[in-house]
Amino acid sequence: MGTRLPRIVVGGIALLLLAGCAIDPMARATRPDRETTERVAEIALEMRGQPYRWGGDAPGGFDCSGLVQYAYAQAGLDVPRTSDQQYDAIRQLYVHQLAPGDVVFFRTSSAVTATHVGIYVGDNRFVHALNPEHPVHEARLDKRYWEQRLIAAGSLMH
């Protein structure tokens, strides 16, 4: 005769095992609070007027993905450096689900992947570093140019 565990113990163990499978411990451990995500948007807004510089990732010169990486780093979050890597890292959302601090991706050329990224700051607006003729500035998602080129939106905070 073997040792038998009472049914309640077996049931409790089974529930714990199932609960462990249903919860992503990394998502729970790395999901920043709303204050942190809003800080990302605030930092992006503070960078308005900074010049564009290809490969730039600090005040004095930003490219689009450098601005994203900088704003997240200043808020204490580590994200990939390039727009392709950032695109691959997002949890996709619909535009109406975006919160300040989320990111939006665009195809601004004939390239197959995302060629541009910005930080959503609320009210259908995003901040981005576009090109040498434009310093870091705010734009609207509902502007026809951006509406036609939007290919993804999502959260880097999951």
Side-chain angles (χ1 to χ4, degrees):
M1 291 197 172
T3 305
R4 295 184 67 174
L5 294 172
R7 260 187 209 183
I8 190 138
V9 172
V10 173
I13 292 170
L15 283 174
L16 286 173
L17 290 172
L18 287 173
C21 293
I23 299 170
D24 178 357
M26 289 305 291
R28 185 179 58 232
T30 60
R31 180 83 179 153
D33 59 27
R34 186 171 181 89
E35 185 178 310
T36 303
T37 60
E38 288 176 353
R39 182 71 185 128
V40 170
E42 290 171 9
I43 293 164
L45 287 165
E46 290 169 5
M47 293 301 108
R48 288 178 296 186
Q50 291 294 314
Y52 176 91
R53 184 173 57 101
W54 190 84
D57 60 1
F62 288 104
D63 67 11
C64 63
S65 58
L67 175 64
V68 171
Q69 186 184 44
Y70 175 83
Y72 276 75
Q74 295 304 302
L77 302 167
D78 186 33
V79 300
R81 172 57 180 93
T82 68
S83 57
D84 280 344
Q85 293 167 336
Q86 292 168 359
Y87 179 82
D88 288 342
I90 64 168
R91 177 177 48 87
Q92 290 211 4
L93 300 169
Y94 292 105
V95 171
H96 72 272
Q97 295 174 310
L98 290 173
D102 287 336
V103 288
V104 287
F105 292 90
F106 305 91
R107 186 175 300 127
T108 57
S109 71
S110 61
V112 176
T113 61
T115 56
H116 189 63
V117 61
I119 299 171
Y120 185 75
V121 295
D123 297 323
N124 225 14
R125 300 171 298 130
F126 67 101
V127 173
H128 64 133
L130 182 58
N131 60 40
E133 289 79 42
H134 297 91
V136 174
H137 66 283
E138 200 174 303
R140 295 197 53 85
L141 285 173
D142 56 2
K143 184 176 178 185
R144 187 167 188 213
Y145 179 86
W146 296 113
E147 229 175 19
Q148 292 176 340
R149 290 163 176 80
L150 181 68
I151 61 168
S155 174
L156 285 166
M157 301 170 273
H158 51 89

